Amino acid sequence: MKLLLIHQNFPGQFKHLAPALAQRGDQVVVLTPRVSKPTTWKGITILPYQVKGASTPNIHPWLIDFETKILRATACFDAAQVLKEKGYAPDVILAHHGWGESLFLKDLWPDARLGLYCELYHRSDPDVIAFDPEFPTPSPGRNALRLRLKNLNNRLHEEVMDAGISPTRFQADTYPAHHRDRITICHDGVDTVHVTPDAMAQLALPNGDTLSRDDEVVTFINRNLEPYRGYHIFMRALPDLLRRRPMARVVLLGGEDTSYGAKPPQGKTWKQIFIDEVRPQISDADWTRVHFLGRVPYETFLSVIQVSRVHVYLTYPFVLSWSLLEAMSAECAIVASDTAPVREAIKDGQTGLLVDFFDRAKLVDETCALLESPERRATLGRAARRFAQETYDLETICLPRQLQWVDDLATLEMARHPQD
């Protein structure tokens, strides 16, 4: 087959699927603004396009997001049109449509099947949009109006999408019912062969110390340290945790940007805001046991979860982080927020422990209890890995399902056009 893949940050969620398609003999071409010149990767042809223009000054704030998506969509359309003029015609187009790029591609190739990575449909349910009262949205009474506009990209893609794929039930269920029946639930997959427990793992810290499984390590990992992923909750729990566990070393991974939700006040970062809030409650000696590593290479990330005795994961009702499932694969004993996406992976008392997102005292209690119980940690960790292997394993479960999903798109196309 000829497959055209669209992703603004390729490979992104196609990290495993794209090479697998090329390896089995499909012709895979990628359009992405991430590269500046044509290149190849694992048998895949990667072609660049450039997004030009910027948001119109003084445009209505609810339209800024959609205008940006239109700029990306037209840039991708122009690059695809060049391919078409050279005689290229894909059988299947796969796209993460969250940034808008794929919006006009069926106008170029109406017979191609379009499969979308359906990450999230923005919901105005109070338990979602107003989940954290500390960070209310501007004009809460207008949330439904604002989010209806924010979903324009989803709604317009719904008209051209042939099928979708979502990594979790929670994410698929954010889409309207009439859209959901075209969405297959299949996670991107965890390489449980590579992400394993390692009794000999070591983690080198910037201060020259080295942590191992012999140390009492508590870990917390986000792409960026921000409220959507419970960073403020964890930081506010930190003074009590450090007092109760005088030997604990706390390792935090994550950048200082904003991935989700509101940005911090001008000139500040969420990371520093909550450090400044809790630092007066923590002695200088205890603070030396807190280690912010920022963003790290993947192998360092693996070392972090492999030396972890207790891994803490918190999130709003939102997209589930890959890091949680990888921590499960590494046999981490996990304390996580009792929020909808987490409950798909963490079964309370079986594959980890669940606590109310806002209950800092319970978070500390459960973390301390696990630190004091190696037998319970081992039991939870083994069950977490087993669940990851049985549910999210890349090679035996997720990748075969993804490939079948692609083949189903092609089969539907052949059924519609038997003469081809």
Side-chain angles (χ1 to χ4, degrees):
M1 286 189 291
K2 292 182 179 179
L3 293 115
L4 176 64
L5 272 59
I6 311 294
H7 199 299
Q8 64 92 28
N9 191 33
F10 184 82
Q13 289 85 354
F14 300 140
K15 174 182 177 180
H16 303 296
L17 176 58
L21 290 165
Q23 186 176 20
R24 74 176 191 177
D26 292 329
Q27 182 188 97
V28 183
V29 175
V30 173
L31 284 176
T32 178
R34 185 176 181 182
V35 299
S36 57
K37 58 183 180 181
T39 186
T40 58
W41 174 70
K42 296 187 176 183
I44 299 162
T45 300
I46 304 176
L47 303 175
Y49 68 89
Q50 183 178 359
V51 180
K52 299 178 180 179
S55 296
T56 304
N58 302 317
I59 193 174
H60 193 291
W62 293 353
L63 291 176
I64 293 174
D65 177 72
F66 187 61
E67 186 180 28
T68 301
K69 288 179 169 60
I70 293 298
L71 292 172
R72 290 180 176 275
T74 52
C76 188
F77 174 87
D78 290 342
Q81 191 166 40
V82 172
L83 285 177
K84 182 176 182 179
E85 290 170 353
K86 293 179 179 179
Y88 178 75
D91 301 302
V92 172
I93 302 170
L94 305 179
H96 188 318
H97 71 288
W99 295 272
E101 286 95 339
S102 48
L103 185 57
F104 303 129
L105 296 184
K106 289 274 277 192
D107 294 274
L108 277 177
W109 295 294
D111 291 334
R113 301 295 283 181
L114 177 61
L116 299 181
Y117 188 94
C118 297
E119 188 164 31
L120 194 72
Y121 195 95
H122 302 285
R123 302 287 292 271
S124 59
D125 309 38
D127 58 342
V128 174
I129 195 63
F131 176 75
D132 190 344
E134 184 175 350
F135 302 99
T137 57
S139 304
R142 295 186 174 187
N143 279 335
L145 286 65
R146 177 178 59 84
L147 291 176
R148 193 183 311 164
L149 268 293
K150 193 171 180 65
N151 274 323
L152 272 176
N153 179 56
N154 276 322
R155 295 291 294 274
L156 291 173
H157 270 93
E158 181 184 350
E159 296 180 4
V160 294
M161 161 182 130
D162 292 296
I165 191 167
S166 278
T168 66
R169 167 67 64 183
F170 170 82
Q171 288 166 262
D173 284 352
T174 62
Y175 285 81
H178 63 274
H179 196 141
R180 204 178 305 149
D181 61 3
R182 286 181 284 165
I183 298 176
T184 295
I185 299 170
C186 177
H187 197 267
D188 313 326
V190 176
D191 187 350
T192 66
V193 175
H194 183 56
V195 184
T196 62
D198 181 359
M200 304 305 293
Q202 293 189 330
L203 174 66
L205 297 175
N207 67 0
D209 290 350
T210 299
L211 300 180
S212 72
R213 296 288 296 174
D214 294 329
D215 297 295
E216 187 173 284
V217 181
V218 177
T219 53
F220 183 83
I221 298 172
N222 294 170
R223 180 190 303 173
N224 284 300
L225 300 173
E226 56 190 331
Y228 249 72
R229 295 306 195 191
Y231 170 67
H232 57 315
I233 303 296
F234 183 75
M235 289 300 290
R236 289 166 177 167
L238 200 52
D240 191 25
L241 177 62
L242 291 169
R243 280 192 296 268
R244 291 174 58 176
R245 305 303 300 181
M247 300 303 293
R249 307 291 287 269
V250 180
V251 177
L252 299 94
L253 299 187
E256 300 185 36
D257 298 328
T258 303
S259 297
Y260 316 110
K263 294 184 181 298
Q266 184 68 30
K268 297 185 178 182
T269 66
W270 290 123
K271 173 188 172 182
Q272 195 61 45
I273 285 171
F274 293 107
I275 289 178
D276 293 343
E277 179 181 322
V278 305
R279 184 64 179 85
Q281 306 168 46
I282 302 172
S283 70
D284 291 344
D286 283 350
W287 188 247
T288 64
R289 297 188 282 123
V290 180
H291 309 281
F292 288 88
L293 303 191
R295 292 183 175 176
V296 298
Y298 186 72
E299 292 304 314
T300 302
F301 160 80
L302 285 184
S303 296
V304 170
I305 58 177
Q306 286 169 337
V307 302
S308 177
R309 284 197 184 176
V310 175
H311 178 67
V312 176
Y313 177 75
L314 307 172
T315 184
Y316 285 13
F318 194 61
V319 174
L320 193 67
S321 302
W322 290 339
S323 64
L324 172 65
L325 304 181
E326 288 170 312
M328 295 177 70
S329 183
E331 266 188 25
C332 284
I334 296 166
V335 179
S337 59
D338 189 8
T339 42
V342 180
R343 288 193 290 268
E344 290 188 44
I346 300 296
K347 311 302 180 184
D348 190 30
Q350 300 176 39
T351 57
L353 302 179
L354 296 177
V355 299
D356 184 277
F357 180 91
F358 301 103
D359 193 340
R360 300 198 305 271
K362 186 69 176 296
L363 174 62
V364 174
D365 286 345
E366 294 288 25
T367 300
C368 291
L370 278 183
L371 290 172
E372 293 171 359
S373 178
E375 296 84 4
R376 196 178 190 205
R377 290 199 309 269
T379 298
L380 291 173
R382 285 193 296 266
R385 175 165 173 78
R386 186 164 56 249
F387 187 85
Q389 290 174 308
E390 294 172 353
T391 312
Y392 302 112
D393 182 69
L394 174 67
E395 294 296 336
T396 63
I397 298 171
C398 295
L399 193 54
R401 287 180 182 172
Q402 292 168 27
L403 291 170
Q404 186 61 54
W405 175 71
V406 174
D407 288 341
D408 288 345
L409 281 173
T411 301
L412 288 171
E413 177 63 20
M414 291 166 58
R416 286 174 52 188
H417 301 280
Q419 71 275 18
D420 293 340

